[in-house]
Amino acid sequence: DSGVTQTPKHLITATGQRVTLRCSPRSGDLSVYWYQQSLDQGLQFLIQYYNGEERAKGNILERFSAQQFPDLHSELNLSSLELGDSALYFCASSVAGTGNHYGYTFGSGTRLTVV
Amino acid sequence: EDQVTQSPEALRLQEGESSSLNCSYTVSGLRGLFWYRQDPGKGPEFLFTLYSAGEEKEKERLKATLTKKESFLHITAPKPEDSATYLCAVQPNTGNQFYFGTGTSLTVIP
């Protein structure tokens, strides 16, 4: 157990729907990062939050949004889902806003299947 | 543009057959290079961090090395339990995000 908790582990939904993925960072970590991993593209950075504020943005679609709450857990909202959004979504956390010696600590991911 | 390329994409080794995985990177300034191991359906697990050319880190049968343009992950006398995908990531001096390669899928055959 890495200490980063992601729920749900699996999610199957239809095209056009909206889903919310949840992440609780490791205790003491202030930064949360969201990554998408698809078979052909590897890990793609989506967005980072640090202590409740957006810190960095990557290749995140306008249909996707995220937030980090006062208790530091984070949610990734995916709307108007398309088949191509099917992927593993990982949350990672770190103490600082810039990562640390150990890089990130990753959760076990949420597998999203859009049918 | 910051970029990470890993090769080969896939590697099959006999148990005990040593080999190396490559990670080539282009980054404006390197804050750190990270190696991770990822098992199927799981999140990446941290292995090593390298900061400067010439640096080496070792852990059991794995040794990571770094030059100004690339990093190698050497696997000595691998065992079947070393089978996994090995990911390389770089963190540039500017910005907070990591850039990941697409990984090398290693299979060690008993």
Side-chain angles (χ1 to χ4, degrees):
Chain A
D1 181 8
S2 68
V4 178
T5 304
Q6 288 189 248
T7 56
K9 291 193 182 305
H10 301 279
L11 199 49
I12 301 175
T13 190
T15 55
Q17 294 298 304
R18 172 189 169 95
V19 297
T20 298
L21 313 183
R22 182 188 168 102
C23 169
S24 294
R26 196 179 54 166
S27 178
D29 286 355
L30 300 178
S31 265
V32 169
Y33 309 79
W34 285 98
Y35 277 82
Q36 180 191 56
Q37 187 177 42
S38 52
L39 280 174
D40 57 345
Q41 285 207 337
L43 278 161
Q44 298 290 315
F45 171 68
L46 295 178
I47 197 164
Q48 177 203 0
Y49 278 83
Y50 176 73
N51 205 21
E53 294 191 1
E54 183 184 303
R55 178 63 71 94
K57 221 168 187 177
N59 302 321
I60 188 166
L61 299 172
E62 285 191 12
R63 300 182 285 109
F64 297 179
S65 65
Q67 54 185 326
Q68 187 179 28
F69 295 86
D71 66 352
L72 300 177
H73 91 271
S74 178
E75 293 181 355
L76 179 67
N77 300 297
L78 314 176
S79 61
S80 303
L81 284 167
E82 303 174 359
L83 295 177
D85 298 326
S86 296
L88 267 170
Y89 290 84
F90 286 105
C91 168
S93 71
S94 67
V95 171
T98 57
N100 60 27
H101 174 72
Y102 301 103
Y104 306 151
T105 301
F106 281 85
S108 56
T110 293
R111 180 173 294 282
L112 173 66
T113 303
V114 182
V115 297
Chain B
E1 181 182 322
D2 300 325
Q3 193 170 334
V4 180
T5 304
Q6 290 188 248
S7 61
E9 286 186 14
L11 183 62
R12 288 172 64 90
L13 298 173
Q14 289 292 135
E15 184 172 1
E17 179 187 1
S18 301
S19 188
S20 296
L21 315 183
N22 178 264
C23 171
S24 297
Y25 63 91
T26 304
V27 67
S28 49
L30 182 69
R31 177 175 289 166
L33 184 141
F34 300 81
W35 282 99
Y36 286 85
R37 169 190 170 128
Q38 186 175 21
D39 292 300
K42 296 190 176 179
E45 180 185 337
F46 171 80
L47 291 174
F48 303 110
T49 307
L50 301 165
Y51 293 105
S52 57
E55 191 175 357
E56 298 184 354
K57 294 279 179 68
E58 280 190 73
K59 180 180 178 180
E60 296 180 357
R61 295 176 292 282
L62 301 176
K63 182 169 81 171
T65 62
L66 181 65
T67 72
K68 288 186 178 179
K69 297 286 187 186
E70 56 192 351
S71 177
F72 292 93
L73 185 64
H74 307 277
I75 302 177
T76 302
K79 298 182 177 182
E81 53 262 42
D82 295 322
S83 297
T85 295
Y86 291 86
L87 297 169
C88 169
V90 297
Q91 185 182 23
N93 280 330
T94 56
N96 301 322
Q97 66 168 292
F98 287 25
Y99 294 90
F100 281 83
T102 52
T104 293
S105 175
L106 174 67
T107 303
V108 182
I109 304 160

